[in-house]
Amino acid sequence: MSETEDDIATREEDEYSLDPRLVEAILDAVEKGDAEAVDTLMEPLHAADIADLLEQIGGSERAALVKLWPRGFDGDILTELDESIREEVIEALPHDVLSEAVRELDSDDVVDLIEDLEEPVQERILDALEDSDRAAVEQSLTYPEYSAGRLMQREVVTAPEHWTVGEAIDYLRGAEELPDQFYHVILVDPRWHPTGYVTLGKLLSSKRNIALKDITEDSFRPIDVLDEEGDVAYAFNQYHLISAPVVDENDRLVGVITIDDAMAVLDEEHEEDVLHLAGVRGETSVADGPVDTARQRLPWLVVNLFTASLSAIVISQFEATITTLVALAALMPIVASTGGIAGTQSLAVSVRALATRDLTRSNARRVVLRELGAGMLNGIGLALILGIAGSLIFGQPLLGVVLGLAMVVNQIVAALAGVLVPLTLDKLGLDPALASGTFVTTMTDVMGFFAFLGLATVILL
């Protein structure tokens, strides 16, 4: 019997996730204190899978596992851990194990590891580094948070711009230490200014007597050390970069950013946008406790409580209308909720377009007009459906007319609010993803109730 597409998808998904039976076996071995069994079960796992395991189990089980299997932890596991439990695991590790783990990491990974930790824990990790590595990490920490200086790694492969391919290859072969992963050899002038770079593929495929400057890539694009990491990620995505040199205020080479770090920033920003649209802080995690989770969500729930009161005020102004026509009370949520969905759709597209810089001043007017047209067309379509249904169900054609007109108005309001609110907030320097949802929902609810009840008062009474 052949596999269905769903079976194949499920099997492939399972291949890239932890087997629940393996997790149970590991926890069973931990409970029994069987270090040998834990080592046998954990050894084949990738660092990312071990991090997932630590994030999925409880705090007491996590502490017991770290205590039983401390020497299995390396630097890659620590960098993969969610920030919410990273400090807990680091504090549980013996000093010699922690020292060996962090020494394996590139400088950018060490910076990412410690920048959000408490100062005593930071000092513990810095003390484990060699003097040169510690100086590089401390220098990176002096740069602003979320800047290219925090994102870059200090380990850079360079060559004088006048070298040939043969000279560069001989240098690389004789180098005592090279980064574990690098994509370009960066060419520098005598003042250490980057002038171009050569891919490893081009280097290995060219003849020895070819000058490096003759095989440089057109994609060469230095990044300022103070550039925001969001701008860096955009540049990588926009110009299809694999790595990029980082320069200081004097245009001297100070580091390099690679595609894995840039894409990690892009993923984090996408994740934050999704969470912010729901009114949740970007630092939230499934590993957080109930108190932390409640504290993160409560502020926007309180804001929503006050904005929802505006809808209640609008409804209270039409108390006499609702009392006269009880059917209005049953139909009100239809108009408001449909408008809310339309507003969320428009908002999601707009926030995403702002994040990717596809929505700019130059095309904002066209996008607003597009949303206006889409809202009007959606409103007319829904108005026909609901207007006819309302007339047939309640036996009042004019009620169907009111319902249809209110739907058109609210769909237009929702579509415009979904694009104008984030544009306005972005212009004011506020995060459109975090604040837009509340305003858009309030506008669609208030206008939905006002249009429906107002039209009902004018037409039906």
Side-chain angles (χ1 to χ4, degrees), residues 311 331-344 346 371-372 374-376 378-380 382-383 386 402-418 439-452 455:
S311 299
L331 296 173
M332 282 193 305
I334 298 177
V335 178
S337 64
T338 309
I341 293 172
T344 301
S346 176
E371 292 297 326
L372 173 62
M376 187 175 299
N378 285 336
I380 292 172
L382 292 170
L386 291 175
V402 168
L403 186 58
L405 291 175
M407 186 62 69
V408 172
V409 172
N410 206 22
Q411 286 294 308
I412 293 174
V413 170
L416 290 177
F439 292 114
V440 171
T441 301
T442 301
M443 290 179 68
T444 56
D445 284 351
V446 169
M447 288 304 301
F449 292 134
F450 182 78
F452 183 53
L455 288 169

Side-chain angles (χ1 to χ4, degrees), residues 19 139 185 194 213 217 221 274 291 293 367 460:
D19 187 338
Q139 175 62 35
V185 175
K213 62 184 178 182
E217 295 293 307
R221 186 177 294 270
V274 171
V291 175
T293 302
V367 174
L460 299 178

Side-chain angles (χ1 to χ4, degrees), residues 134-182:
R134 173 169 182 149
V137 171
E138 288 180 329
Q139 175 62 35
S140 294
L141 289 172
T142 63
Y143 295 116
E145 192 174 7
Y146 308 119
S147 68
R150 291 285 187 99
L151 197 62
M152 70 180 181
Q153 67 180 56
R154 293 285 184 154
E155 297 81 9
V156 185
V157 180
T158 61
E161 59 182 348
H162 62 270
W163 270 12
T164 63
V165 168
E167 289 174 308
I169 291 176
D170 292 341
Y171 164 73
L172 293 175
R173 287 175 176 169
E176 293 183 3
E177 189 174 349
L178 291 172
D180 290 337
Q181 292 183 350
F182 67 98

Side-chain angles (χ1 to χ4, degrees), residues 8-25:
I8 294 173
T10 301
R11 176 170 55 78
E12 290 179 348
E13 182 179 346
D14 291 342
E15 289 177 358
Y16 297 103
S17 59
L18 282 173
D19 187 338
R21 292 170 298 181
L22 175 61
V23 176
E24 290 179 11

Side-chain angles (χ1 to χ4, degrees), residues 21-42 61 64-65 68-69:
R21 292 170 298 181
L22 175 61
V23 176
E24 290 179 11
I26 292 172
L27 293 180
D28 184 58
V30 170
E31 186 177 353
K32 294 176 180 178
D34 190 344
E36 184 177 347
V38 170
D39 184 64
T40 301
L41 293 167
M42 297 279 285
E61 296 166 328
L65 176 56
L68 193 63
W69 196 62

Side-chain angles (χ1 to χ4, degrees), residues 202-218:
K202 187 66 71 69
L203 183 70
L204 294 174
S205 63
S206 301
K207 296 184 181 300
R208 288 182 60 86
N209 63 343
I210 299 294
L212 291 178
K213 62 184 178 182
D214 291 337
I215 56 172
T216 56
E217 295 293 307
D218 294 336

Side-chain angles (χ1 to χ4, degrees), residues 126-322:
L126 290 172
D127 289 342
L129 299 173
E130 295 180 2
D131 291 342
S132 59
D133 293 333
R134 173 169 182 149
V137 171
E138 288 180 329
Q139 175 62 35
S140 294
L141 289 172
T142 63
Y143 295 116
E145 192 174 7
Y146 308 119
S147 68
R150 291 285 187 99
L151 197 62
M152 70 180 181
Q153 67 180 56
R154 293 285 184 154
E155 297 81 9
V156 185
V157 180
T158 61
E161 59 182 348
H162 62 270
W163 270 12
T164 63
V165 168
E167 289 174 308
I169 291 176
D170 292 341
Y171 164 73
L172 293 175
R173 287 175 176 169
E176 293 183 3
E177 189 174 349
L178 291 172
D180 290 337
Q181 292 183 350
F182 67 98
Y183 308 98
H184 293 107
V185 175
I186 301 174
L187 308 188
V188 293
D189 66 15
R191 292 180 294 178
W192 210 249
H193 295 160
T195 59
Y197 58 33
V198 177
T199 64
L200 294 182
K202 187 66 71 69
L203 183 70
L204 294 174
S205 63
S206 301
K207 296 184 181 300
R208 288 182 60 86
N209 63 343
I210 299 294
L212 291 178
K213 62 184 178 182
D214 291 337
I215 56 172
T216 56
E217 295 293 307
D218 294 336
S219 61
F220 177 74
R221 186 177 294 270
I223 290 173
D224 189 277
V225 72
L226 297 179
D227 283 350
E228 291 187 7
E229 62 178 23
D231 294 334
V232 174
Y234 175 80
F236 267 76
N237 191 50
Q238 179 76 2
Y239 303 111
H240 311 294
L241 303 180
I242 301 175
S243 71
V246 181
V247 297
D248 62 14
E249 66 275 8
N250 298 314
D251 291 328
R252 288 169 56 88
L253 181 67
V254 292
V256 65
I257 295 175
T258 53
I259 188 170
D260 56 327
D261 294 316
M263 292 304 99
V265 171
L266 207 58
D267 286 342
E268 289 173 3
E269 293 200 335
H270 292 174
E271 179 184 342
E272 286 181 1
D273 285 346
V274 171
L275 292 172
H276 285 172
L277 282 172
V280 180
R281 279 172 37 194
E283 308 88 53
T284 191
S285 166
V286 294
D288 292 338
V291 175
D292 290 334
T293 302
R295 187 171 63 247
Q296 292 163 0
R297 298 177 184 178
L298 184 60
W300 281 106
L301 291 176
V302 173
V303 172
N304 281 325
L305 183 64
F306 283 104
T307 56
S309 300
L310 296 176
S311 299
I313 292 173
V314 170
I315 293 172
S316 67
Q317 303 305 306
F318 296 94
E319 183 178 352
T321 303
I322 297 173

